[in-house]
Amino acid sequence: MKIKKIFMSCLLLAGVLSASAQEQYPKTVYDHNPYWYIQLQGGAQYTLGEIDFKDLISPNVQVAIGRQFTPAFGIRLQANAWESRAGLGDNKWKWKYVAPGLDLTFNLSNIFCGFNPNRVFNFSAFIGGGVNIGWDNKADDIKAAYNATYPAAIAAGTLNENIDYVWTGTKVRGFGRAGVAADFRLSNAVSLGLEVNANTMTDRYNSKKAGNWDWYFNALAGLKINLGKTHSTRTIEAPKVPEKVIEKVIERVVEKPAPAPVVEPTRAVAQKKEQFRRDVFFLIGNSSISKKEQAKVKEVADYLKANPNAKVEVTGYADKGTGNPTINSKLSQRRAQTVANMLQRTYGIAKDRITVDYKGDTIQPFAKETDNRASICIAE
């Protein structure tokens, strides 16, 4: 008999150790917050041409302000500027420009690997367009140098067409662009960015007639500074395994499940007979009470008037499927307060008989997600 008791006790201990080994730690979840950012970048430009590569390199700067709407998608208003270069044979020239534009940005790291605000490296792509405003082209100097270098060819009519597009004054031309960027996170607010972009426009940009579109390419490096909080953090507790209660050990162990844990709000699951409950539902993102739901508020008021000693607790909720924890907390508070205000102002219920609470999306009292856009009124 003693051996059997010892054996059963060992089995029980092994089960406890096994259950302990399977316990999960709480899971941290990051929710993206829309935010603004600014970029300051500098680098070099290469303008596509027929002379030596080094003679077509010029300095370049870019400033931008952007909005990251989701982990994957954003927009950026940028202005790229300084200098472009071109040449033909022994002739070289340069001009000034500024090119404001709008880009659509796509965070490829978040698209393919999931949102992680602590990721050290983020790879993005963008596409956009704008206008290029050029000036200070010195057209007379270009033509004079060209005529002095190739008099015979010009007289024969074999080269003159190559500078038919020489322009003067200020020229405004539309352009399209695309590129890629890599950001290296230095802190929650600052990252080091590397960017390469390609820009194209009509054949008249570099003063040469070539019969195809003109191109210039920018390689830039600089800082990206986030304005505001980029994300919020919440913790999801691991599901709890129901405890088992040992009744007694004689020759065998008899187990039965412990009572199921009570999940708030308790009154949404099991109400006392003397309780009076009404659930007031709202449209998505809304805290106004529709005519249909106003009838429920009136029923609560009627109950309170018929029971002078009764008090009511109004608790607001929001569904977890939309918005974010910050927005949903404020929305659930407005929903609860709207019901409380109607009880006071429309039906004359004393303020000290009404308790207002709100849970945001931390508690979902209903299985159907859309039903959690509610204020639950419990009077007793």
Side-chain angles (χ1 to χ4, degrees):
M1 183 69 70
K2 289 183 179 180
I3 294 176
K4 187 178 292 186
K5 288 183 179 180
I6 293 172
F7 177 73
M8 295 304 296
S9 299
C10 291
L11 288 179
L12 177 61
L13 179 60
V16 171
L17 292 175
S18 176
S20 176
Q22 294 177 4
E23 290 180 359
Q24 301 180 16
Y25 291 98
K27 180 181 178 182
T28 300
V29 177
Y30 299 106
D31 295 314
H32 177 270
N33 294 336
Y35 64 92
W36 292 92
Y37 64 85
I38 58 174
Q39 283 180 302
L40 305 172
Q41 299 169 296
Q45 179 183 109
Y46 168 69
T47 311
L48 191 63
E50 293 80 13
I51 61 175
D52 289 344
F53 180 86
K54 63 182 179 59
D55 293 326
L56 295 171
I57 300 295
S58 56
N60 191 252
V61 294
Q62 182 168 283
V63 296
I65 181 169
R67 175 76 167 170
Q68 193 69 32
F69 293 104
T70 70
F73 172 73
I75 62 171
R76 180 179 70 166
L77 179 65
Q78 48 76 23
N80 185 268
W82 201 326
E83 186 177 275
S84 290
R85 299 189 179 189
L88 190 63
D90 294 328
N91 300 299
K92 306 177 185 67
W93 58 90
K94 58 186 177 181
W95 62 98
K96 301 293 190 300
Y97 81 94
V98 60
L102 185 68
D103 296 330
L104 304 179
T105 64
F106 306 91
N107 189 313
L108 302 181
S109 296
N110 285 338
I111 291 174
F112 293 106
C113 302
F115 175 61
N116 180 3
N118 298 319
R119 184 182 291 118
V120 175
F121 172 81
N122 279 281
F123 186 72
S124 303
F126 58 88
I127 186 170
V131 293
N132 182 293
I133 306 169
W135 70 93
D136 196 25
N137 195 32
K138 297 182 176 58
D140 292 340
D141 293 343
I142 297 172
K143 292 178 180 179
Y146 191 74
N147 290 333
T149 304
Y150 305 108
I154 293 173
T158 57
L159 288 176
N160 190 46
E161 61 178 5
N162 289 318
I163 59 167
D164 282 352
Y165 287 167
V166 174
W167 52 272
T168 59
T170 299
K171 295 295 182 182
V172 179
R173 303 177 178 91
F175 72 89
R177 67 188 249 141
V180 294
D183 291 312
F184 298 87
R185 179 179 176 273
L186 303 180
S187 69
N188 288 335
V190 180
S191 59
L192 173 65
L194 303 176
E195 176 180 326
V196 177
N197 60 64
N199 305 261
T200 185
M201 65 189 71
T202 67
D203 189 25
R204 295 179 179 272
Y205 181 62
N206 64 6
S207 296
K208 297 188 302 178
K209 184 177 180 180
N212 51 47
W213 289 61
D214 288 336
W215 290 81
Y216 60 84
F217 305 87
N218 299 320
L220 302 161
L223 294 178
K224 177 181 177 183
I225 303 171
N226 300 326
L227 307 177
K229 193 174 181 181
T230 62
H231 67 279
S232 55
T233 304
R234 56 190 172 92
T235 301
I236 299 177
E237 299 292 339
K240 294 183 179 179
V241 179
E243 298 179 357
K244 294 184 178 180
V245 179
I246 302 174
E247 287 192 332
K248 66 179 182 177
V249 177
I250 302 178
E251 295 185 356
R252 59 192 180 91
V253 177
V254 179
E255 298 181 353
K256 68 176 183 179
V262 178
V263 179
E264 189 179 346
T266 306
R267 286 162 293 190
V269 179
Q271 302 177 29
K272 297 179 180 179
K273 291 183 179 180
E274 63 272 18
Q275 290 180 340
F276 180 88
R277 167 174 168 168
R278 287 295 181 268
D279 302 334
V280 181
F281 296 103
F282 297 83
L283 296 177
I284 183 172
N286 206 309
S287 59
S288 299
I289 307 175
S290 65
K291 289 185 178 180
K292 177 182 176 182
E293 300 302 309
Q294 288 177 11
K296 298 179 182 178
V297 181
K298 183 179 183 302
E299 291 176 3
V300 176
D302 292 342
Y303 178 86
L304 293 172
K305 290 178 180 179
N307 298 271
N309 294 325
K311 295 185 178 182
V312 64
E313 181 177 343
V314 182
T315 307
Y317 299 87
D319 68 289
K320 189 176 292 187
T322 55
N324 59 53
T326 301
I327 293 173
N328 288 339
S329 178
K330 294 178 180 178
L331 180 58
S332 67
Q333 182 182 17
R334 291 199 302 271
R335 286 170 173 167
Q337 193 61 54
T338 299
V339 174
N341 290 343
M342 177 171 283
L343 288 171
Q344 294 177 56
R345 299 169 185 173
T346 304
Y347 300 107
I349 304 301
K351 184 177 181 180
D352 59 3
R353 299 180 66 192
I354 304 171
T355 301
V356 177
D357 194 9
Y358 58 97
K359 302 298 182 182
D361 60 15
T362 59
I363 294 175
Q364 302 288 272
F366 299 101
K368 187 177 179 182
E369 187 171 273
T370 56
D371 288 345
N372 292 307
R373 305 161 188 162
S375 287
I376 297 178
C377 309
I378 299 178
E380 57 181 337

